[in-house]
């Protein structure tokens, strides 16, 4: 695991964008995409790079980490709609509507949707780069504390903490936040060839400390990333504030990224 510690969230987003832009020229590139606030600056950079002629995802496919169950098809916070806005509409990143894949949680059978979605990722050849965020409780995707570290795409129940965290997208009303989701499991996520996790702000400092320096535990689901052979964690200074070995990570990053 390589840890990049940056002065600002924008600097971390710049690095994430560079990683993706440098990689997506490969034929059949498959990008794993996340929602929430943290990756939005990254998507802004991918849109700008496309507008400037420096990046084009028109030949790529993208797979979302998760989707709410029990949300209307036209709801602005349905994750497919969020990702269409961020990556597809108005020129976006070059990614097409047909190439953006999200769990079909509208069928009335989310368990079948989860199984079919997991299979579709494999049929596409797997994810090349998976973008990740991290919750304050250490969840990635909607893999909440206490779940399996080897799970496949599944139907999950959202904890009260996660629903409170997401209430800001639902008029600050937790009762409007769905209680279930379809999410890629940790086992599915770990099959991506590269993981790129972004974490910014002091509220993520405990989770980042556990992710990087804690033991692997279902209590902090993201810690399974320590077992990945190609994982990159990009954080700003506030998110890195509780890392005991921060100076080492900075020296290592500098050595590996010298011009």
């Amino acid at each position: 695991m390589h840890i990049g510690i940056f002065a600002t969230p924008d600097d971390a987003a710049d690095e994430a964008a560079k990683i993706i832009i440098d990689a997506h020229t490969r034929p059949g590139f498959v990008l794993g995409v996340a929602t929430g606030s943290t990756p939005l600056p990254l998507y802004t950079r991918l849109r700008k790079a496309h507008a400037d002629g420096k990046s084009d995802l028109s030949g790529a496919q993208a797979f979302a980490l998760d989707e709410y169950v029990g949300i209307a098809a036209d709801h602005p916070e349905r994750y497919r709609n969020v990702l269409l806005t961020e990556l597809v509409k108005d020129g976006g990143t070059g990614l097409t509507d047909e190439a953006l894949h999200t769990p079909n949680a509208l069928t009335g059978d989310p368990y079948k949707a989860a199984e079919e979605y997991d299979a579709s990722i494999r049929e596409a050849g797997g994810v090349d780069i998976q973008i990740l965020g991290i919750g304050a409780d250490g969840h990635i995707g909607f893999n909440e504390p206490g779940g399996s570290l080897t799970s496949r795409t599944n139907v999950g129940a959202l904890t009260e903490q996660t629903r409170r965290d997401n209430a800001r997208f639902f008029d600050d009303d937790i009762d409007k936040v769905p209680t279930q989701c379809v999410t890629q499991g940790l086992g599915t996520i770990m099959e991506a060839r590269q993981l790129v996790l972004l974490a910014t702000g002091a509220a993520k400092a405990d989770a980042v400390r556990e992710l990087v320096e804690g033991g692997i535990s279902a209590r902090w689901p993201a810690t399974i990333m320590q077992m990945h052979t190609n994982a990159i964690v990009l954080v700003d200074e506030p998110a890195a504030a509780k890392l005991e070995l921060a100076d080492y990570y900075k020296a290592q990053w500098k050595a590996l990224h010298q011009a």
Side-chain angles (χ1 to χ4, degrees):
M1 184 182 291
H2 297 294
I3 318 301
I5 300 174
F6 299 88
T8 70
D10 284 342
D11 293 333
D14 286 342
E15 180 64 25
K18 181 179 184 300
I19 291 169
I20 293 167
I21 291 167
D22 288 348
H24 78 61
T25 55
R26 295 196 296 265
F29 180 74
V30 178
L31 179 65
V33 291
T35 50
S37 301
T38 304
L40 296 182
L42 164 60
Y43 298 152
T44 297
R45 281 151 179 78
L46 294 179
R47 292 195 303 272
K48 185 177 188 305
H50 179 66
D52 292 344
K54 299 177 180 178
S55 172
D56 185 4
L57 289 173
S58 60
Q61 295 189 71
F63 284 83
L65 273 174
D66 39 39
E67 181 60 276
Y68 288 120
V69 173
I71 194 169
D74 61 351
H75 196 291
E77 294 304 325
R78 182 188 179 211
Y79 283 160
R80 178 168 188 83
N81 296 334
V82 171
L83 291 167
L84 285 171
T85 298
E86 293 296 324
L87 299 172
V88 176
K89 292 181 178 178
D90 301 323
T93 61
L95 188 74
T96 66
D97 190 330
E98 295 76 17
L100 173 63
H101 307 280
T102 56
N104 186 0
L106 299 174
T107 64
D109 187 350
Y111 295 93
K112 182 178 180 181
E115 182 179 350
E116 291 177 344
Y117 192 65
D118 205 78
S120 70
I121 295 172
R122 287 178 168 172
E123 289 167 5
V127 171
D128 289 299
I129 296 178
Q130 177 64 62
I131 301 165
L132 296 167
I134 187 169
D137 62 0
H139 73 260
I140 53 176
F142 273 135
N143 294 281
E144 302 284 12
S148 168
L149 293 175
T150 60
S151 58
R152 308 303 307 176
T153 302
N154 63 91
V155 179
L158 304 185
T159 65
E160 181 175 346
Q161 181 61 56
T162 295
R163 293 177 67 229
R164 288 191 184 282
D165 290 344
N166 288 0
R168 66 189 188 278
F169 301 116
F170 293 85
D171 304 319
D172 290 319
D173 185 351
I174 189 174
D175 292 331
K176 294 182 179 180
V177 182
T179 59
Q180 283 190 313
C181 65
V182 174
T183 183
Q184 287 188 37
L186 295 175
T188 307
I189 291 169
M190 287 287 286
E191 289 178 354
R193 285 175 272 280
Q194 183 175 35
L195 306 178
V196 177
L197 184 143
L198 283 159
T200 57
K204 302 296 178 69
D206 286 333
V208 168
R209 178 195 60 212
E210 296 296 330
L211 163 64
V212 177
E213 296 177 347
I216 297 173
S217 169
R219 172 62 184 83
W220 297 91
T223 56
I224 192 62
M225 287 178 57
Q226 295 176 27
M227 299 296 293
H228 201 283
T229 58
N230 190 5
I232 298 175
V233 176
L234 306 174
V235 299
D236 65 356
E237 290 282 359
K242 296 186 179 182
L243 292 175
E244 293 183 5
L245 302 177
D247 289 343
Y248 167 71
Y249 305 137
K250 290 177 180 179
Q252 183 189 49
W253 186 268
K254 182 177 179 180
L256 292 173
H257 294 81
Q258 286 178 335

